[in-house]
Amino acid sequence: QVQLVESGGGLVQPGGSLRLSCAASGSIFSINVMSWFRQAPGKERELVANIAPIGTTNYADSVKGRFTISRDITDNRLFLQMSSLKPEDTAIYYCHAILSPSYTAIWGQGTQVTVSS
């Protein structure tokens, strides 16, 4: 069973920074695209950023220039460096992975990020 475990969430002041990590473990054969999603109370889960095995990235318009997604292919770890955080960034952040060759989607449990003064 493949599992994703997020860490690094917490409370941060507006304008502050936070680095999220996601560790993949279990019976992993290969991982394709990895992503960060987030879900705020009362809102739909939304894609924050994703990264392909070759390193290409995509970001939601709301986080461009502030967030950076990165990946350690060898260790199957995913990171999200968040800077200039805003209260509207408050959400549960979820790690997501697409396995290869099965194309199975895997979700982490989520980590809470709260941006508040």
Side-chain angles (χ1 to χ4, degrees):
Q1 182 181 15
V2 177
Q3 297 186 52
L4 303 175
V5 179
E6 303 94 337
S7 62
L11 175 65
V12 64
Q13 296 281 99
S17 299
L18 208 59
R19 180 178 169 90
L20 305 183
S21 298
C22 171
S25 63
S27 56
I28 300 172
F29 183 78
S30 183
I31 298 179
N32 201 298
V33 174
M34 297 190 77
S35 308
W36 288 100
F37 286 77
R38 68 185 182 186
Q39 187 167 24
K43 296 184 178 180
E44 294 288 326
R45 189 171 299 186
E46 65 176 350
L47 176 67
V48 176
N50 61 22
I51 183 167
I54 61 173
T56 55
T57 59
N58 291 286
Y59 296 91
D61 288 340
S62 60
V63 306
K64 285 182 179 178
R66 300 189 298 120
F67 291 10
T68 301
I69 188 170
S70 60
R71 179 178 180 178
D72 185 329
I73 297 294
T74 302
D75 295 336
N76 291 313
R77 294 185 69 90
L78 182 71
F79 306 94
L80 185 67
Q81 178 65 52
M82 304 183 291
S83 300
S84 301
L85 284 162
K86 306 174 180 179
E88 47 264 47
D89 294 318
T90 296
I92 300 175
Y93 284 71
Y94 296 91
C95 181
H96 177 270
I98 297 293
L99 305 185
S100 179
S102 66
Y103 210 71
T104 301
I106 302 296
W107 292 94
Q109 293 291 320
T111 185
Q112 177 71 48
V113 172
T114 302
V115 185
S116 176
S117 59

